Amino acid sequence: MSIDQLPEIAQAMVAAGKGIIAIDESNATIKKRFDSVGVECTEENRRAYREMLLTTPNLNEYISGAILYDETIRQKTKDGVPFTKIMMDNGILPGIKVDAGTTPLAGFPGEVVTQGLDGLRERLNEYAALGAKFAKWRAVININIEEGMPSDTCIEANVHALARYAALCQEAGIVPMVEPEVIMEGEHDIDDCFVVTEKVLRSLFNALYAQNVMLEGTILKASMVISGKDCDEQASIEDVADYTVQCLKSAVPAAVPGIVFLSGGQSDDDATAHLNEMNKTENLPWPLSFSYGRAMQSAALAIWGKDIVNNVAEAQKTVYARAKANGLAAKGEL
């Protein structure tokens, strides 16, 4: 795929009423999820679980793409069909997580920077050959106002890495999804979250411009402007929607084809309600959709985990229901 085709893929990722399902958990993370439902974290169980998700009947009505893990993009169904072929045959774009996780930012206690740029060009070329149409890189920004977090250094280090990753993606013919996640953990209020999120997004787009990244072929995966989990005053659904839209309008160029939100530790219902409320806003410059992991999977995992052989169809009904609710929310129609 050439760079000229990237805007078309990006637009397909945020088609009206459709979003992305994130099933890119590392083996360590999926083990925690499996442990919570009493399922052994073997390669076969991970494969079976991802097959259950990806083969959900009619999933493509509300899901445009799925972010996969390195193991998953190489796997096949029990009948021997590559996951990527199953997805493309059903109109679901394969994506791939390419960052290598976070590491402490030297000199800045409590802050982290995402690693994974070494060898990324070669990995992206391999993923493109395996069928990946888009990729994802997550940066992590913590808020602690009393301790001066996030520092300018932390923001600059992370957005520079995001921009370098994005440029390499486009060189390989892959749409970059850039994810600067502002973490919910903390006592900060929604106003603090607004200030930090706006600063991070402005810095991100300055970095993307500096690295000659084509915005028309880039998707933003954003966190919502929301109260910290430990804040005494939790913002209402309406306030989260208003603050988030205002922040995005202030910092995100209209050239970006679309914005998808991460759930970031919100409950399933909250993540959907916030998205629905935002999409009631008129004259938005870009589609606002979803790229949820836990908020798409948690209910289905609980059902599947009770009987991983016989509960597949029942779990898939829940996957479809969550996809439908979020797809309607992406149009403000819930």
Side-chain angles (χ1 to χ4, degrees):
M1 189 164 65
S2 72
I3 195 168
D4 294 336
Q5 295 172 286
L6 298 183
E8 181 182 349
I9 295 294
Q11 289 163 16
M13 291 167 65
V14 289
K18 292 188 178 185
I20 309 289
I21 182 171
I23 56 173
D24 58 335
E25 303 93 344
S26 67
N27 289 350
T29 299
I30 199 70
K31 183 181 186 304
K32 295 176 184 176
R33 308 273 171 85
F34 278 14
D35 286 349
S36 72
V37 295
V39 173
E40 186 180 1
C41 189
T42 63
E43 180 179 357
E44 171 54 25
N45 284 345
R46 293 192 296 270
R47 188 208 61 76
Y49 176 62
R50 266 73 183 252
E51 178 175 349
M52 179 274 291
L53 295 169
L54 291 172
T55 59
T56 294
N58 303 314
L59 188 64
N60 61 351
E61 292 177 10
Y62 301 104
I63 295 295
S64 60
I67 310 171
L68 309 177
Y69 186 58
D70 179 80
E71 176 184 78
T72 315
I73 199 171
R74 306 173 192 277
Q75 288 177 324
K76 301 177 181 179
T77 67
K78 63 181 181 296
D79 297 325
V81 183
F83 281 167
T84 51
K85 177 172 172 40
I86 287 286
M87 294 170 68
M88 291 297 290
D89 286 351
N90 288 291
I92 297 175
L93 297 166
I96 180 70
K97 172 188 174 180
V98 299
D99 68 71
T102 61
T103 188
L105 182 61
F108 293 84
E111 298 193 290
V112 296
V113 65
T114 301
Q115 51 193 349
L117 289 174
D118 289 349
L120 182 56
R121 174 179 277 125
E122 292 74 24
R123 288 191 290 124
L124 286 167
N125 288 332
E126 181 187 11
Y127 288 137
L130 287 169
K133 303 300 181 185
F134 69 97
K136 189 203 81 167
W137 179 289
R138 173 178 176 256
V140 173
I141 307 294
N142 293 306
I143 301 180
N144 187 322
I145 302 302
E146 289 185 359
E147 296 186 11
M149 295 196 304
S151 65
D152 290 346
T153 301
C154 174
I155 294 172
E156 289 168 10
N158 276 291
V159 300
H160 178 78
L162 277 165
R164 290 302 309 133
Y165 139 82
L168 287 164
C169 281
Q170 293 189 342
E171 177 187 86
I174 289 175
V175 172
M177 178 184 285
V178 290
E179 180 184 355
E181 180 176 0
V182 178
I183 300 297
M184 278 181 65
E185 278 71 18
E187 299 178 354
H188 54 276
D189 61 21
I190 192 171
D191 291 293
D192 292 330
C193 185
F194 182 100
V195 170
V196 170
T197 303
E198 182 183 41
K199 183 174 184 178
V200 169
L201 290 175
R202 288 187 175 185
S203 297
L204 170 63
F205 284 99
N206 285 336
L208 292 172
Y209 281 126
Q211 299 296 336
N212 287 332
V213 173
M214 180 176 66
L215 296 187
E216 292 83 356
T218 304
I219 294 293
L220 172 65
K221 181 168 180 175
S223 42
M224 298 181 190
V225 178
I226 200 164
S227 309
K229 282 186 176 179
D230 298 324
C231 180
D232 291 335
E233 184 177 349
Q234 292 293 309
S236 66
I237 290 172
E238 292 77 15
D239 282 346
V240 169
D242 289 344
Y243 273 68
T244 302
V245 169
Q246 182 182 346
C247 184
L248 295 173
K249 284 185 173 181
S250 170
V252 181
V256 174
I259 299 167
V260 295
F261 291 103
L262 54 98
S263 49
Q266 300 177 59
S267 70
D268 296 3
D269 290 342
D270 283 350
T272 303
H274 289 145
L275 178 63
N276 186 65
E277 189 67 25
M278 283 181 224
N279 277 298
K280 293 179 181 179
T281 307
E282 295 182 357
N283 301 318
L284 289 168
W286 357 248
L288 299 181
S289 190
F290 61 94
S291 177
Y292 293 160
R294 277 172 293 183
M296 277 289 300
Q297 298 180 50
S298 57
L301 176 61
I303 294 169
W304 178 81
K306 292 177 182 177
D307 188 335
I308 65 175
V309 175
N310 297 312
N311 278 7
V312 170
E314 192 65 27
Q316 288 179 330
K317 290 179 183 178
T318 303
V319 175
Y320 179 81
R322 293 299 305 144
K324 180 177 181 179
N326 287 306
L328 293 173
K331 296 194 290 184
E333 295 179 356
L334 194 62

